[in-house]
Amino acid sequence: MILSGISHAPLSKDAYMVAEDSLVVSIKAAKGDLAKVDLYFGDRVCQKDPIDVFKVEMELVASDMVNDYFECEIKTDYTRVCYYFELTDFAGEKLFYDEYGFSQSISTNRTQYFQFPYLRKEDMISIPEWVNGIVMYHIFPDSFADGKRSISCVEKNIQECDIQYHSNLGGTIKGIEENLDYIASLGANCIYINPIFKANSYHKYDTVDYMDIDPCFGTIEDFKELVKACHSKDIKVILDGVFNHCGPDFFAFKDVLKNGEKSKYVDWFYKLRFPIETKPIPNYEAFAYVAAMPKLNTGNPEVEKYCCDVGRFWIRECGIDGWRMDVANEINHDFFRAFRKAIKEENPESFLIGEIWEDSTIWLQGDQFDSTMNYTFTNICKDFFGTEEISVSTFDARIHKMNRRYPRQVALAQMNFLDTHDVQRFKSACNSDEERLKLGLAYMVCAVGIPSVFYGDEKGIEGTTEPEYRSPMAWDRQTELEDYYRQLLQIRRSTKALQKGNYKTVLCDDEMKLYMFSRTYEDETALIIFNMGNNAEEVSIPNYLNQGWINALSGKEEAGKQIGVEGRTALILTKKGN
């Protein structure tokens, strides 16, 4: 038994609440080392000594490159739980594992066991119920629309007082509203909009006024009408919050530039140095050394309150459903705890997403974000579907490692995407191969997490540079690809197993380039088959294929012990009941 490969940490992603009477417990072991794991649990304040314990057999639920993961769910009336593991390897050797380590026999001293001190509902990670059912459509407002199925591509420069506002392509808030029918027809029921507040540049990440809409895009009344129209179509609205930094014309920074060290807003900014210099790079903290984006000091209580008031304002006055927080990994954690509390007070069902490109565990403990942008997902899909650099088994291992990073409810709420306004279009990552793009989309729709489509991907927009991947929406382009997006997104919307189900690998064949996994939720199961090879294959899955499976793409029933899968295609089969 490889003891160094075995680990468990209570009160973490290895042991967490999913209900007031339910704990999910998992343990990690070296890959292929353990044949069986049993968990024993009891009441840690039981009046008997030794205490009564109950056995639960754990299931091997996932494997990555080097580890196996065993998991079980404990349902109990106990509010205080202690537990330990019994480990069995393939040679039949048995060991017990508790807080004190490994032993041949388990101690009767309950204080040596792993502890879950109290199952309090306040400490359970709770994410709005509506989140699992959304399909997100990501809009870069300057590039999307200024009319019904149109974008003028006319540059704007608007002067108000001494401040210049600019846009490149002319997109507006009303343009988004006039195309909500299109967005809804795709199957999307949530829009995430890049910044729309007053800002100097076309991208609007250099905020001038957090309480007003940029004049290039429209007015607050336009935005209120957009949110109202969205909600009438059951579409949620998420805005981009840029609180790591502001723009040079933000009132507080203008005061600093005018009054220097005497400004009452000096402490609104992080590590200012005087006299202020902007060239060749700023001598003050800024976003990525961009002088026009000075870094806000979110540790200052005044700045924290100001930003929380902004968060509250757009929920209270306009009815938005959540925020995506820009450059979240460069802001102090207490700021997000305060911001979360503020927006949840305005609307407990508000959804909060952080822009973090790496592992986000520390932000996803239930006190800061509900979700983060899952760039790990994007990179895995690029390597597998886009460039085909990794094998089926490597893809499977990396996916499982990713899915195991967070508690179940957090993993289900991760914002998945193939591309965004900050990276190349996925079709370009696929070397313009539309079949690869389709495979990537099919996986995103069926994967653990929320699918998000960047505007125009369904039209086949490509691009590797910023002007290209933020190019105008291709309204005049009608393609079969758009129909495929519409079909896949509707499947996601109508299949609970794809929204909330577990994830289990069924087949992983590097030689035939076949990959199959299932997702099950309550009485519904989805079975997803990918043939990454060029040739059609007959897939034998006797434990899965039988009467009652429906091909979600064709609507036809599939039966038998084998199913044919064309080369470079994906099949989605669904079934209700046993």
Side-chain angles (χ1 to χ4, degrees), residues 29 83 176 189 205 240 255 311 375 417 435 469 471 504 522:
Y83 58 95
I176 297 173
N189 60 348
Y205 280 95
D240 210 333
D255 192 86
Y375 276 96
F417 45 86
E435 288 181 343
Y469 52 72
S471 63
K504 184 176 181 180
E522 294 179 344

Side-chain angles (χ1 to χ4, degrees), residues 4 11 54 129 146-147 178 183-184 192 262-263 265 286 415 439 452 460 489 533 544:
S4 61
L11 301 173
F54 302 90
E129 183 67 25
D146 59 0
E178 289 185 44
I183 293 169
Y192 153 47
K262 296 181 180 179
S263 171
Y265 297 108
M415 178 183 166
L439 288 165
S452 176
L489 299 185
Y544 280 84

